[in-house]
Amino acid sequence: MSSMSARELAYQTIRSRIITMELKPGDPLNDRELAEELNISRTPMREALIMLNIAHMVVIKPQSGTYVAPIDLKLMELEQFARYTLEKEILNRVCGRLTPQQEAEYRWIIEDYRVLEARPEESQREKRLLELDNAFHRKAFEITGMEAHFDHMLGELQHVERIRKFSLQTNENKTVCASHTHILEALLHGDLQEVSDALESHLSRYKVSVEEAKRVHPDYFTEG
């Protein structure tokens, strides 16, 4: 394994654990232990932690240690606005132009989410719900041949992604199917304003999760 690939492995592994809240805000990160766990040297692990620090995912405190950073609410708002702006543009490009096959694919995703949501006993349910949510939002990017833009955008959503874990325990999650259906119907109607309003309403629901999470874990957040 090259130094670069080891660093990327370390970065993606730690980032994933932070986003899924396996590693929570304030948790210490020991570069030696993490390097041993991933079977890499400490140098690429340290480099990965520096990259995560730049991405505001970890905090490096001299003479103290490295810790998982709190969720930055100001950065979260910036990320969510950037996502809304890009996704609205992509949806506008397919508005009123969906083929019957594309409509069916959208509805399959919505139905798969609905079925899984009703089965709390299902294995890896939360992970699969998030994957279905991503699949819905990625569909328009796929239709326009711009799926790489969605993947890049998702990779840049450091703080928004962390709150999605909480959304599965709040009332926000119960609105996903209805919100996705509203977006799809707006696309079928060919109404650009309705698409914009439906998307904005859906993406702004994360604030419900933020307020619930702040109530239970106020120490997980910072205002920047």
Side-chain angles (χ1 to χ4, degrees):
M1 178 182 295
S2 67
S3 176
M4 181 63 72
S5 61
R7 181 180 67 185
E8 183 65 19
L9 169 66
Y11 176 84
Q12 293 297 342
T13 300
I14 303 305
R15 180 183 183 275
S16 176
R17 291 178 181 177
I18 291 173
I19 284 177
T20 60
M21 300 299 286
E22 179 183 339
L23 291 171
K24 299 175 174 57
D27 282 356
L29 300 170
N30 185 295
D31 63 342
R32 178 182 57 79
E33 293 177 356
L34 290 169
E36 289 179 355
E37 178 186 346
L38 296 181
N39 194 30
I40 62 176
S41 69
R42 294 179 70 179
T43 296
M45 177 56 69
R46 288 169 178 165
E47 291 172 347
L49 292 175
I50 290 172
M51 291 168 62
L52 288 163
N53 175 249
I54 294 172
H56 306 286
M57 299 288 279
V58 308
V59 177
I60 299 175
K61 298 181 180 180
Q63 313 305 319
S64 175
T66 302
Y67 304 86
V68 177
I71 300 171
D72 191 313
L73 295 177
K74 288 186 177 180
L75 288 177
M76 180 184 293
E77 289 184 9
L78 290 174
E79 291 175 356
Q80 199 71 333
F81 179 76
R83 174 179 182 172
Y84 166 73
T85 303
L86 176 59
E87 190 164 351
K88 182 177 72 169
E89 171 61 27
I90 300 300
L91 289 176
N92 285 348
R93 297 187 182 192
V94 301
C95 186
R97 299 182 178 88
L98 293 182
T99 67
Q101 176 63 29
Q102 290 164 349
E103 177 188 351
E105 290 170 356
Y106 266 114
R107 295 197 186 280
W108 290 335
I109 294 170
I110 294 171
E111 183 59 23
D112 285 347
Y113 192 104
R114 191 190 317 278
V115 170
L116 184 57
E117 183 183 42
R119 297 175 177 173
E121 74 284 354
E122 285 289 321
S123 173
Q124 295 187 311
R125 176 174 172 272
E126 293 183 359
K127 178 176 180 291
R128 290 161 60 195
L129 285 172
L130 292 177
E131 289 173 348
L132 286 169
D133 188 31
N134 284 338
F136 177 89
H137 289 280
R138 193 175 191 267
K139 179 56 66 177
F141 288 80
E142 293 175 355
I143 293 170
T144 56
M146 300 181 71
E147 54 267 40
H149 289 69
F150 179 85
D151 296 340
H152 175 76
M153 175 187 73
L154 200 64
E156 295 298 311
L157 298 179
Q158 315 289 9
H159 296 274
V160 169
E161 285 298 280
R162 296 168 77 185
I163 203 63
R164 292 176 75 195
K165 177 75 171 182
F166 286 108
S167 74
L168 296 173
Q169 283 84 45
T170 68
N171 288 330
E172 178 200 350
N173 184 58
K174 306 302 185 294
T175 70
V176 170
C177 287
S179 294
H180 284 180
T181 301
H182 187 190
I183 292 170
L184 175 58
E185 295 298 335
L187 290 174
L188 294 171
H189 294 161
D191 189 325
L192 295 178
Q193 187 58 53
E194 186 182 358
V195 168
S196 176
D197 292 345
L199 180 65
E200 182 175 17
S201 175
H202 177 49
L203 294 185
S204 66
R205 289 290 299 172
Y206 79 96
K207 296 177 182 178
V208 174
S209 298
V210 169
E211 291 307 311
E212 176 65 17
K214 283 173 65 178
R215 184 182 66 80
V216 180
H217 300 288
D219 55 316
Y220 281 8
F221 298 87
T222 181
E223 296 287 346

